[in-house]
């Protein structure tokens, strides 16, 4: 079979089982678009800005654990992708970005729409390729998919000069599935003795704690994690990225940890004597002051990425490999050594934890006059029965979803944790909705964030995506305002937006349903009617309390035991 | 800062477009300095061998090894610092040679087993190979002799005995 470069690209994508491409055309990729025109099995989703394409592909990948695919043109096409690539990279999301490049004869000549795509993206991706000859197109695609989806996943960029996609030059096509990349190594198996040692240590704990992150979701190890945790009967906390891997409604779950984590999760971290960290990377938003992090604990760390081990916190016991398979083995070794668990001590530990839980750190002052943002999320959780795919942008609203939408399943919570990218939520919801057309997809956003990728409302109309956009409109960059209230004596420099659009009308002009909720008594009934629109996108502008803050809060650089609690939970802001 | 130690690192890398900037980029992105770096193809010209010298703490060096190993283009990486290894560096030095200084220069060249490889009316160009300390000692010994130009290759390193970075993979 002889194919052109463009056809090879399409065939390669088919061989990889790609069903969606998120993209935007331009000169350097017109040959590829022409080949795509004829392709039936692959659907192309036309976004309105290339950043939207990357976030949509990312949201798709996070929802269904398959790599998201992006196709953009050279120059401004690929530079518009930078934020989305970096977002995916920080959260280890598998993604393939195909960018057109000017023809080889022009490379390096500052040609029209030429940008050094591989140079620009090098520090923000797992790997990138600039294809130099037609013969290596197929192999490069195979390599890119292997690299993006194995080990610690991440985005891979393939930059391809236009002349290589010329429809008139055809070469033989063969797709070698089992290609070897000699310099690429992924350690998947860990020494069983080391796993058994970890099991023994775990069973000797008096004040154990399990702390898990996005790695559990990426390796589809939720079932294994649940099994191990229930067998041990130990308390467990999830990072922002790990929410849903362990059911939030379970009694052993202490909530999220870290800067805006629960009192009980953070206190248990501080006091524990053995910590099992799984697929988590000890991010500074999680650890707080590293010198005061789990000061009494022996730490076991399971991760696929050797460079995550002892990067921030020196660990005592590392298990490197695929989280799923290590958790499985660990569970069987725990079963063998379980009789060593000191149940009396464990009971005492749980008593202590229960006393922390009694602080009720997520309680908040209810109001009849203004809508409390927390109550919006609680109502959403109730109405969607906790089963929706929820994406968010970045800010207070993001933290409130993490705290109050009690995720019970992995992949349902889709947010930019590592890079913290405003503008992520709406396009990510597009990807999630396409991955699961029948499921409820909700984008919880803020009036500042939503404007960063608002143009994607137009994409939603084109593909009939019935996303529910819930805009927690506090007329402030709430998270910025909160920091300014706490650390800058209330000088609200540039965190107030005094020219906010009429979002409901804006949504209507995009062809969707727009709605405003501004009274607490209407909240549930109006949200219900919004969610009942099964075939339409509904943009719900919820006017919320302007002054609400996210609690608990650990100020940067403080220890886990030094939390600020909400004034309503304790009379004044007190240092716990 | 003061726990910084000299680390000499050997790397086998795919001889591909972008490999070098990936490695250099990793150093700047993660806040490491590159003191010296030398690169050339191996007997297999699809593979380059690099030797790199950096100053950092042992903990940072071990993190650096993992980060380098994680780069897709890196085939193998090793910190030679902790084990017995041989290091060589080459120096090309152009110095002013007044008639009065010529004897002194020849004498120093002999002592250090360097070679004079180019001569003009007013200059000598000297070649010297050896461990970095020897190179530095030689430059030091020149005293008042004026150096016009100094070119150093950066250290090259290889482990002693039958160990090889190459056969491991
Ligand atoms: C692209 C980008 N720019 C700036 C920031 C810094 N930032 C973090 S939260 C925030 C405010 C978000 O405001 P809004 O979307 O209204 O959410 P709220 O905090 O009010 O819920 C800003 C500016 C960011 N995270 N991303
Ligand atoms: Mg806001």
């Amino acid at each position: 079979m002889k194919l052109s470069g463009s056809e090879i690209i399409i065939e390669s994508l088919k061989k990889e089982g790609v069903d969606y491409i998120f993209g935007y055309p331009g000169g350097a990729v017109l040959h590829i678009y022409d080949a795509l025109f004829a392709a039936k099995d692959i659907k192309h989703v036309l976004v309105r800005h290339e950043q939207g394409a990357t976030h949509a592909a990312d949201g798709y990948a996070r929802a269904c654990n398959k790599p998201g695919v992006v196709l953009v043109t050279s120059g401004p096409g690929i530079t518009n992708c930078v934020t989305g690539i970096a977002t995916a990279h920080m959260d280890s999301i598998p993604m393939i970005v195909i960018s057109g490049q000017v023809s080889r004869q022009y490379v390096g000549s500052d040609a029209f729409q030429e940008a050094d795509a591989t140079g620009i993206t090098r520090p923000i991706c797992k790997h990138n390729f600039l294809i130099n000859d037609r013969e290596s197109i197929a192999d490069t695609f195979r390599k890119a998919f292997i690299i993006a989806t194995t080990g610690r996943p991440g985005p891979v960029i393939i930059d391809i000069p236009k002349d290589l996609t010329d429809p008139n030059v055809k070469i033989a096509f063969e797709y070698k599935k089992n290609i070897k990349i000699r310099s690429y190594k992924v350690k998947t198996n860990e020494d069983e003795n080391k796993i058994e040692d970890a099991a023994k240590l775990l069973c000797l704990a008096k004040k154990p704690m399990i702390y898990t992150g996005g790695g559990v979701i990426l390796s589809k190890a939720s079932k294994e994690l649940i099994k191990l945790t229930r067998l041990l009967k130990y308390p467990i906390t999830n990072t922002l990225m790990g929410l849903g891997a362990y059911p939030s409604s379970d009694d052993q779950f202490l909530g999220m940890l870290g800067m805006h984590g629960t009192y009980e999760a953070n206190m248990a971290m501080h006091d524990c004597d053995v910590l099992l960290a799984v697929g988590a990377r000890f991010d500074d938003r999680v650890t707080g002051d590293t010198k005061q992090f789990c000061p009494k604990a022996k730490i076991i760390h399971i991760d696929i990425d050797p460079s995550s081990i002892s990067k921030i916190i020196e660990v005592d016991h590392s298990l490197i490999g695929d989280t799923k398979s290590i958790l499985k083995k660990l569970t069987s070794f725990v079963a063998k050594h379980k009789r060593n668990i000191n149940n009396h001590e464990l009971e005492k530990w749980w008593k202590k934890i229960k006393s922390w839980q009694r602080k009720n750190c997520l309680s908040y002052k209810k109001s009849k006059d203004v809508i409390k943002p927390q109550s919006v999320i609680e109502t959403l959780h109730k109405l969607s029965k906790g089963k929706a795919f929820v994406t968010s942008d970045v800010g207070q609203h993001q933290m409130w979803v993490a705290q109050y939408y009690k995720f019970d399943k992995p992949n349902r919570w889709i947010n930019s944790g590592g890079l913290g990218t405003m503008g992520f939520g709406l396009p990510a919801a597009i990807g999630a909705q396409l991955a699961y057309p029948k499921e409820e997809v909700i984008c919880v956003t803020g009036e500042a964030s939503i404007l960063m990728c608002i143009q994607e409302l137009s994409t939603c109309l084109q593909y009939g995506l019935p996303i529910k956009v819930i805009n927690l409109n506090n007329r402030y960059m709430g998270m910025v305002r909160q920091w300014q209230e706490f650390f800058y004596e209330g000088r609200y420099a540039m965190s107030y937006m005094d020219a906010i659009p009429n979002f409901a009308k804006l949504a209507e002009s995009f062809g969707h349903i727009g709605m405003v909720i501004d009274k607490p008594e209407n909240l549930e009934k109006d949200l219900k009617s919004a969610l009942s629109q099964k075939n339409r996108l509904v943009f719900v502008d919820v006017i919320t309390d302007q002054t609400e803050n996210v609690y608990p809060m650990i100020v940067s650089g403080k220890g886990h035991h030094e939390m600020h609690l909400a004034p309503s939970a304790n009379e004044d802001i007190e240092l716990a | 800062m003061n726990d910084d130690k000299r680390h000499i690192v050997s790397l086998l890398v795919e001889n591909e477009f972008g490999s070098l900037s990936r490695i250099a980029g990793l150093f700047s992105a993660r806040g490491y300095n590159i003191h010296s770096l030398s690169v050339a193809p191996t007997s297999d010209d699809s593979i380059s061998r690099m030797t790199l010298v950096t100053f950092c703490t042992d903990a940072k060096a071990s993190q650096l090894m993992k980060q380098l190993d994680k780069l897709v283009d890196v085939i193998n990486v090793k910190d030679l610092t902790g084990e017995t290894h041989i290091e060589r560096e080459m120096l090309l030095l152009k110095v002013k040679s007044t008639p009065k200084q010529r004897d002194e220069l020849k004498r120093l060249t002999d002592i250090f087993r360097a070679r004079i490889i180019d001569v003009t009316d007013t200059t000598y160009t000297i070649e010297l190979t050896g461990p970095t300390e020897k190179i530095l000692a030689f430059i030091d010994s020149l005293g008042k002799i004026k150096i016009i130009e100094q070119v150093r290759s950066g250290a090259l390193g290889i482990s002693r005995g039958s160990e090889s970075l190459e056969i491991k993979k």
Side-chain angles (χ1 to χ4, degrees):
Chain A
M1 189 170 45
K2 290 206 153 187
L3 297 178
S4 72
S6 293
E7 289 164 337
I8 291 174
I9 292 172
I10 304 300
E11 285 309 308
S12 301
L13 293 176
K14 281 190 198 163
K15 295 268 191 222
E16 294 292 343
V18 172
D19 45 8
Y20 283 106
I21 296 178
F22 302 88
Y24 207 90
V29 285
L30 283 182
H31 293 326
I32 305 176
Y33 269 88
D34 198 45
L36 195 56
F37 194 72
K40 302 236 155 41
D41 319 356
I42 302 182
K43 286 164 276 212
H44 180 277
V45 178
L46 179 69
V47 293
R48 299 299 185 265
H49 184 302
E50 288 88 350
Q51 181 182 353
T54 51
H55 292 330
D58 182 325
Y60 172 91
R62 291 182 204 235
C64 68
N65 271 336
K66 279 169 61 179
V69 179
V70 173
L71 172 60
V72 294
T73 193
S74 65
I78 184 66
T79 56
N80 269 350
C81 289
V82 166
T83 301
I85 294 169
T87 301
H89 187 52
M90 284 295 271
D91 290 341
S92 309
I93 305 303
M95 184 190 284
I96 303 287
V97 179
I98 306 157
S99 58
Q101 183 52 277
V102 299
S103 291
R104 282 174 298 175
Q105 74 207 80
Y106 301 120
V107 168
S109 69
D110 299 323
F112 176 64
Q113 295 196 325
E114 181 183 359
D116 177 9
T118 47
I120 290 168
T121 57
R122 194 166 292 131
I124 51 161
C125 67
K126 185 168 176 187
H127 196 61
N128 61 22
F129 294 96
L130 169 59
I131 301 185
N132 278 316
D133 56 279
R134 232 172 295 269
E135 284 66 30
S136 63
I137 297 175
D139 283 1
T140 304
F141 270 75
R142 181 66 197 125
K143 286 180 187 171
F145 274 88
I146 292 173
I147 292 168
T149 57
T150 57
R152 179 175 180 173
V156 177
I157 290 85
I158 305 172
D159 199 32
I160 178 157
K162 183 172 184 179
D163 58 311
L164 295 179
T165 62
D166 184 342
N168 300 313
V169 188
K170 304 207 174 199
I171 59 165
F173 170 69
E174 187 199 353
Y175 205 65
K176 298 186 219 104
K177 264 269 154 171
N178 293 319
I179 212 164
K180 279 254 165 358
I181 312 169
R182 68 177 164 190
S183 60
Y184 179 64
K185 37 215 168 277
V186 175
K187 182 172 178 240
T188 46
N189 286 321
E190 183 54 284
D191 177 7
E192 303 228 341
N193 292 325
K194 281 185 73 181
I195 303 180
E196 181 159 13
D197 287 347
K200 284 184 194 159
L201 177 59
L202 259 182
C203 293
L204 289 178
K206 290 180 179 150
K207 299 172 173 183
M209 184 67 175
I210 302 172
Y211 137 67
T212 79
V216 175
I217 295 170
L218 290 165
S219 80
K220 303 181 199 137
S222 179
K223 250 196 355 228
E224 288 71 17
L225 176 68
I226 294 169
K227 209 169 154 201
L228 174 68
T229 308
R230 295 226 169 113
L231 179 67
L232 284 165
K233 301 195 170 64
Y234 288 177
I236 178 169
T237 177
N238 290 163
T239 67
L240 178 69
M241 296 313 297
L243 290 172
Y246 192 86
S248 299
S249 54
D250 190 275
D251 282 345
Q252 281 170 254
F253 187 64
L254 305 190
M256 181 172 76
L257 83 163
M259 182 173 275
H260 293 300
T262 64
Y263 185 70
E264 49 271 31
N266 286 334
M267 290 303 283
M269 288 295 285
H270 187 260
D271 270 18
C272 71
D273 68 349
V274 174
L275 178 72
L276 173 65
V278 190
R281 60 184 177 88
F282 300 84
D283 176 79
D284 56 276
R285 287 291 190 267
V286 159
T287 60
D289 179 11
T290 50
K291 289 192 196 73
Q292 301 190 63
F293 179 79
C294 296
K296 301 157 206 159
K298 286 244 177 291
I299 303 178
I300 304 163
H301 188 189
I302 303 175
D303 208 286
I304 186 89
D305 178 2
S307 74
S308 279
I309 306 291
S310 297
K311 181 173 78 173
I312 306 212
I313 301 288
E314 194 67 38
V315 302
D316 303 277
H317 212 94
S318 64
L319 300 174
I320 300 169
D322 177 45
T323 299
K324 191 186 180 87
S325 85
I326 292 180
L327 279 177
K328 232 186 238 169
K329 286 182 190 149
L330 187 61
T331 306
S332 58
F333 284 122
V334 162
K336 185 173 152 195
H337 296 283
K338 202 175 161 270
R339 59 176 187 283
N340 294 337
I341 294 181
N342 186 332
N343 285 314
H344 175 66
E345 289 291 340
L346 186 58
E347 238 169 74
K348 266 177 33 196
W349 178 228
W350 269 112
K351 263 203 190 123
K352 181 101 199 163
I353 290 169
K354 297 248 155 73
S355 78
W356 289 324
Q357 285 175 321
R358 277 195 292 276
K359 281 241 180 203
N360 213 355
C361 69
L362 292 180
S363 68
Y364 57 92
K365 277 195 191 123
K366 308 269 160 29
S367 164
K368 286 206 169 76
D369 310 316
V370 282
I371 298 177
K372 286 288 179 177
Q374 301 95 326
S375 71
V376 182
I377 309 301
E378 285 180 331
T379 311
L380 275 176
H381 180 264
K382 181 176 151 196
L383 295 173
S384 61
K385 300 187 181 67
K387 286 186 185 151
F389 285 79
V390 184
T391 71
S392 89
D393 276 295
V394 174
Q396 292 183 317
H397 62 275
Q398 174 190 29
M399 292 301 119
W400 285 319
V401 179
Q403 292 175 330
Y404 296 93
Y405 197 99
K406 309 281 180 190
F407 291 93
D408 277 337
K409 291 234 169 83
N411 304 91
R412 299 290 197 279
W413 168 225
I414 296 172
N415 81 125
S416 165
L419 198 68
T421 307
M422 290 169 69
F424 176 80
L426 178 60
I430 293 177
Q433 188 76 79
L434 286 165
Y436 293 102
K438 299 224 165 68
E439 302 285 333
E440 191 147 46
V441 177
I442 300 173
C443 164
V444 176
T445 184
E447 80 294 330
S449 293
I450 191 68
L451 287 175
M452 287 211 178
C453 274
I454 192 81
Q455 74 285 348
E456 300 309 328
L457 281 177
S458 173
T459 310
C460 295
L461 185 73
Q462 183 167 350
Y463 299 95
L465 305 176
I467 295 162
K468 304 297 172 288
V469 181
I470 312 294
N471 186 34
L472 297 189
N473 188 343
N474 52 7
R475 286 85 70 214
Y476 270 115
M477 296 176 192
M479 190 55 96
V480 174
R481 190 202 55 73
Q482 176 168 346
W483 282 55
Q484 289 170 334
E485 178 186 328
F486 287 4
F487 312 122
Y488 298 90
E489 298 168 331
R491 290 185 298 278
Y492 298 143
M494 296 300 136
S495 58
Y496 179 72
M497 312 251 290
D498 59 1
I500 296 171
N502 180 328
F503 284 106
K505 281 199 178 146
L506 184 64
E508 280 165 18
S509 79
F510 274 104
H512 303 300
I513 300 171
M515 236 167 115
V516 181
I517 309 180
D518 54 7
K519 293 197 180 57
E521 65 265 29
N522 295 340
L523 180 66
E524 181 161 348
K525 125 177 124 38
D526 287 355
L527 274 182
K528 196 169 176 183
S529 97
L531 295 183
S532 70
Q533 289 284 348
K534 293 295 171 207
N535 302 315
R536 295 286 300 278
L537 185 149
V538 186
F539 191 113
V540 191
D541 193 15
V542 190
I543 311 303
T544 58
D545 185 354
Q546 271 193 294
T547 59
E548 191 56 278
N549 290 324
V550 182
Y551 292 107
M553 177 168 184
I554 302 174
V555 173
S556 302
K558 294 280 185 182
H560 275 155
H561 57 305
E562 302 172 293
M563 266 164 288
H564 287 298
L565 295 180
S568 59
N570 297 52
E571 271 326 300
D572 283 306
I573 297 180
E574 79 163 33
L575 221 50
Chain B
M1 245 347 196
N2 296 335
D3 295 338
D4 282 2
K5 239 173 71 182
R6 179 176 182 275
H7 286 268
I8 178 160
V9 179
S10 251
L11 291 138
L12 278 187
V13 177
E14 293 290 348
N15 184 6
E16 258 174 35
F17 168 85
S19 300
L20 180 59
S21 51
R22 259 183 248 285
I23 288 165
L26 188 151
F27 274 75
S28 61
R30 296 201 181 261
Y32 292 85
N33 66 318
I34 298 179
H35 179 73
S36 73
L37 169 64
S38 85
V39 196
T42 62
S43 52
D44 174 347
D45 58 10
S46 69
I47 298 177
S48 300
R49 172 91 178 215
M50 296 188 188
T51 309
L52 215 150
V53 174
T54 183
F55 288 82
C56 61
T57 62
D58 286 343
K60 279 199 89 181
S62 111
Q63 177 63 19
L64 176 64
M65 291 305 106
K66 295 183 203 167
Q67 293 293 351
L68 285 168
D69 207 26
K70 193 160 111 176
L71 293 177
V72 173
D73 286 338
V74 171
I75 299 168
N76 218 335
V77 54
K78 195 172 199 181
D79 188 346
L80 295 176
T81 316
E83 51 191 272
T84 53
H85 67 278
I86 301 163
E87 280 181 38
R88 288 294 180 271
E89 184 171 345
M90 181 185 269
L91 167 75
L92 299 177
L93 198 69
K94 196 175 286 177
V95 292
K96 213 171 207 141
S97 61
T98 58
K100 260 202 290 180
Q101 287 168 330
R102 282 195 187 155
D103 279 349
E104 171 70 353
L105 270 169
K106 277 205 204 116
R107 201 173 59 83
L108 283 171
T109 310
D110 276 349
I111 293 172
F112 281 89
R113 295 196 196 149
R115 296 198 301 152
I116 296 165
I117 52 175
D118 190 38
V119 181
T120 70
D121 297 358
T122 53
T123 66
Y124 270 10
T125 300
I126 300 165
E127 171 197 323
L128 172 64
T129 344
T132 300
E133 308 88 75
K134 181 175 168 183
I135 305 278
L136 295 176
F138 177 67
I139 295 170
D140 238 22
S141 71
L142 293 175
K144 290 211 169 82
I145 296 169
K146 187 165 178 345
I147 296 171
I148 298 168
E149 197 171 9
Q150 168 184 323
V151 186
R152 287 168 58 182
S153 65
L156 303 178
I158 194 164
S159 54
R160 275 192 189 276
S162 56
E163 279 273 303
S164 166
L165 209 54
E166 299 195 19
I167 43 179
K168 264 201 180 156
K169 261 275 118 156

